[in-house]
Amino acid sequence: FYKGLHHYIRTWNGKHPMPYDFFSSMNTGAGVDMNWFWKRWFIDSGVPDLAISKVTEGKKKKTILIESKGEKPVPVDLTIVFTDNSTEKIHRPVSVWEKGGRVVSISLNSEKKIREIRLGSTYVPDINKKDNIYKAY
């Protein structure tokens, strides 16, 4: 991000860029084609909305399915609280949605039992936070 932003600032300082100039400059400076991201966030309509859709807990392997219910791609941030009150944080970048998939599977190897999973963070928007909490019973 910072490479792209610095390239944009150097290229367009004192000029009058249009939004597509910003997108192109960020792509060039970062060396990554982010058109999939720019299109979904700035051209298409919709909202960011992630949900915990399914949790499978075996003796050692746990699988958490995160569903993108909205149209805007956002990073996946999970806070897992185990029954012993220890926590583990898992982060997946926004690029997990690059290919247009609607579900991301996150695997976790731990013998600890899950008490609760919280999806999201202070900095990640989500239109419906009601489906961002999983509680094991």
Side-chain angles (χ1 to χ4, degrees):
F1 176 81
Y2 291 113
K3 285 182 182 181
L5 188 58
H6 287 172
H7 177 75
Y8 169 73
I9 292 168
R10 282 191 308 274
T11 304
W12 289 97
N13 185 25
K15 300 175 185 173
H16 302 285
M18 300 299 285
Y20 288 103
D21 298 322
F22 174 75
F23 305 152
S24 177
S25 191
M26 289 292 287
N27 289 350
T28 301
V32 177
D33 182 359
M34 294 284 294
N35 287 337
W36 66 272
F37 178 82
W38 306 124
K39 181 179 182 307
R40 290 193 211 163
W41 265 98
F42 296 98
I43 310 301
D44 297 347
S45 62
V47 295
D49 187 18
L50 298 181
I52 300 171
S53 64
K54 185 176 181 184
V55 177
T56 307
E57 189 168 6
K59 184 174 181 179
K60 187 167 181 165
K61 183 178 180 180
K62 286 94 170 104
T63 305
I64 305 160
L65 296 181
I66 305 301
E67 180 183 357
S68 177
K69 291 183 170 183
E71 296 77 22
K72 307 290 184 199
V74 291
V76 176
D77 289 300
L78 292 174
T79 302
I80 301 166
V81 181
F82 297 99
T83 54
D84 66 357
N85 287 328
S86 63
T87 61
E88 183 170 339
K89 293 189 180 279
I90 297 175
H91 172 80
R92 296 293 183 270
V94 71
S95 60
V96 298
W97 308 112
E98 181 176 0
K99 302 293 184 208
R102 302 299 289 175
V103 176
V104 169
S105 177
I106 297 176
S107 295
L108 172 68
N109 289 320
S110 176
E111 292 186 9
K112 298 177 183 180
K113 292 196 62 68
I114 294 174
R115 185 178 76 208
E116 180 180 285
I117 301 172
R118 293 186 298 264
L119 171 63
S121 75
T122 305
Y123 307 107
V124 177
D126 193 311
I127 198 75
N128 179 15
K129 295 186 185 265
K130 291 178 184 173
D131 52 12
N132 291 7
I133 302 266
Y134 165 83
K135 293 187 185 236
Y137 296 100

